[in-house]
């Protein structure tokens, strides 16, 4: 029986074409798999908890792989970090039971979306925030967050043409949002941070939720309109997809 | 008489070879000068408050230029920001008296140096912090900061072979540090932030101060040793130059 290893990792998605291996573009999965293949002396598959889009960041992504290699967890941690670019860091390595799988066993994820509102976007923050030039109304956005919480069919926030439903064991677009919060900082530009946790997320779901919340914050959509979008299950009724740069996969629960 | 315009600007120094125009590498000065030349329909010289090293960031750098162009300050602000890369932002534009010069008239500058201590450096913070793996002793570093404050000959912290003394009206390496403070955050890695303000800074001075403070924080140099380095005016006795990525020119006073 092979060993089953779980990685917790962080990355700066700026220069990468997302998680999933692609033929011609650098991806997080491909880079780590290639280093693991060197360490374990053979190809292997690294199963991510999900696929992140190009430009999305991670503070605590997870991925697992099976191996025969006799390398202790600490060896994987230090070995990988010495070979990987600084934009990708392994935070922890854990031995799991043989049947464990990073995606299938995940019980929940926490995403954070960072915005800067008004003024001029500080260059040293531009890669990690979406900058919105005009003021946003906080109260109606918070009201929408309370609507989001709970078990819903989130088809309206699923990427058009997404095949995600095929991947998720027949539950369609139904997911449960555990918490959805908005933290408001201070200063100009004003930092806003959305934190959304749930048992699973459809493709582009967080970015589409944020894009629609920004419609509400900008006054282009009412809270009632937001409620109707969710009930209507129609992607074309929701707002645009917010930019990847503001999104962080913060944590995965098992 | 030409108009005299002061720019306040911020930039992410990561991808640039510093402030000063160079033949073959992208620099902040060259990029802004080129855009100004387009706007004002003729070449001009943009005088920075100083030259920043490759990789150093700015939250509030200043630079001035003389022009005959009849463009209002707001026109320069919006025109430049529409043409410049997002890594460079003009924050404010001000009309100054004809004899004003961004460097000569500066009364002081504030630098910030950001460190992360221990643990693993989060990829999304790596471009803006120097990561130190081992713990640092805070109290002796703070003691050294009180030694730095005041008027001293800072030859020990001047870049080797620097011609800075020729530029500064005969005051040699004598500068006055107004304030030197260390703020300690929370978490792992532990964020440390040094803020140093003074009437002028020699080439590499802040980075050499930080590099020497890290010797003290690491226990490789005593507070007495630090005092002796300053008194000895010998660059070779001081610590190494800390990496550029942690340094921010925060503000310039006139």
């Amino acid at each position: 029986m092979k060993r089953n290893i779980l990685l917790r990792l962080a990355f700066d998605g700026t220069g990468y074409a997302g998680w999933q291996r692609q033929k011609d573009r650098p991806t997080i999965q491909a880079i780590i798999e290639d280093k693991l293949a060197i360490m374990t002396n053979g190809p292997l598959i690294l199963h991510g908890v999900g696929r992140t889009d190009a430009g999305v960041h991670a503070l605590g992504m997870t991925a697992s792989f099976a191996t025969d290699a006799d390398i202790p967890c600490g060896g994987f941690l230090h070995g990988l970090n010495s070979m990987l670019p600084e934009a990708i860091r392994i935070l922890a390595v854990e031995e799991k039971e043989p049947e464990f799988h990073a995606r299938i066993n995940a019980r929940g994820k926490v995403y954070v979306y960072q915005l800067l509102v008004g003024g001029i976007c500080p260059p040293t923050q531009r890669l990690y925030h979406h900058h919105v030039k005009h003021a946003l109304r906080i109260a109606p956005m918070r009201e929408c967050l309370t609507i989001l919480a709970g078990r819903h069919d989130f088809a309206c926030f699923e990427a058009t043409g997404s095949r995600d439903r095929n991947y998720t064991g027949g539950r369609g677009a139904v997911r449960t949002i555990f918490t959805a919060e908005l933290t408001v900082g201070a200063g100009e530009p004003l930092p806003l941070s959305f934190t959304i946790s749930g048992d699973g997320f459809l493709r582009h779901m967080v970015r589409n939720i944020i894009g629609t919340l920004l419609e509400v914050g900008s006054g282009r959509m009412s809270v009632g309109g937001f409620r109707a979008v969710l009930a209507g299950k129609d992607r074309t009724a929701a707002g645009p997809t917010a930019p990847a740069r503001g999104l962080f996969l913060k944590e995965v629960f098992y």
Side-chain angles (χ1 to χ4, degrees), chain A:
Chain A
M1 190 65 106
K2 291 197 175 205
R3 296 167 65 206
N4 204 353
I5 309 287
L6 174 69
L7 306 179
R8 289 189 189 267
L9 61 134
F11 55 83
D12 181 335
T14 305
Y16 298 100
W19 169 262
Q20 194 172 36
R21 184 182 278 275
Q22 296 183 25
K23 206 181 281 186
D24 303 316
R25 302 166 69 199
T27 69
I28 312 292
Q29 182 188 34
I31 290 173
I32 304 177
E33 274 183 355
D34 293 349
K35 303 306 181 196
L36 280 172
I38 295 170
M39 289 187 79
T40 62
N41 203 18
L44 55 71
I45 296 171
L46 182 61
H47 300 283
V49 63
R51 296 166 299 169
T52 59
D53 301 328
V56 170
H57 313 292
L59 302 172
M61 167 100 179
T62 55
S64 63
F65 63 96
T67 182
D68 289 319
D70 195 26
I71 301 170
C73 288
F76 279 117
L77 181 72
H78 296 293
L80 284 172
N81 279 339
S82 72
M83 287 193 285
L84 288 167
E86 286 183 2
I88 306 173
R89 291 290 91 183
I90 308 300
L91 305 176
V93 181
E94 219 179 305
E95 189 118 20
K96 303 298 280 186
E97 56 283 7
E99 59 279 10
F100 179 87
H101 184 289
R103 176 169 55 80
I104 295 164
N105 290 70
R107 293 195 304 122
K109 288 192 228 178
V110 185
Y111 281 98
V112 169
Y113 196 95
Q114 294 191 163
L115 288 158
L116 288 171
V117 180
I120 291 165
C121 185
T124 51
Q125 298 195 48
R126 78 193 188 288
L127 302 175
Y128 312 106
H129 296 80
H130 171 38
H131 182 236
V132 176
K133 289 184 182 170
H134 53 265
L136 294 173
R137 283 181 270 180
I138 303 299
M141 291 196 290
R142 286 214 166 110
E143 227 179 308
C144 292
L145 291 175
T146 67
I147 295 169
L148 276 179
R151 192 165 181 272
H152 304 283
D153 184 314
F154 287 102
C156 65
F157 296 126
E158 185 174 13
T160 315
S162 172
R163 297 175 306 163
D164 194 272
R165 294 174 204 198
N166 299 327
Y167 300 153
T168 50
R171 60 175 165 162
V174 174
R175 298 290 182 278
T176 300
I177 296 295
F178 303 140
T179 59
E181 281 161 18
L182 168 55
T183 308
V184 181
E188 195 200 80
L190 184 71
L192 297 192
S193 176
F194 290 92
T195 304
I196 301 180
S197 67
D199 67 352
F201 292 85
L202 306 162
R203 182 148 183 256
H204 286 186
M205 178 167 150
V206 180
R207 291 166 61 191
N208 288 339
I209 287 174
I210 301 299
T212 310
L213 288 170
L214 293 179
E215 295 293 292
V216 174
S218 304
R220 289 189 294 267
M221 185 186 287
S222 66
V223 173
F226 185 90
R227 193 188 301 272
V229 164
L230 182 59
K233 304 175 193 178
D234 174 10
R235 172 68 190 102
T236 63
T241 308
R245 58 170 64 180
L247 185 60
F248 293 71
L249 174 51
K250 189 184 176 195
E251 213 175 336
V252 182
F253 296 113
Y254 289 98

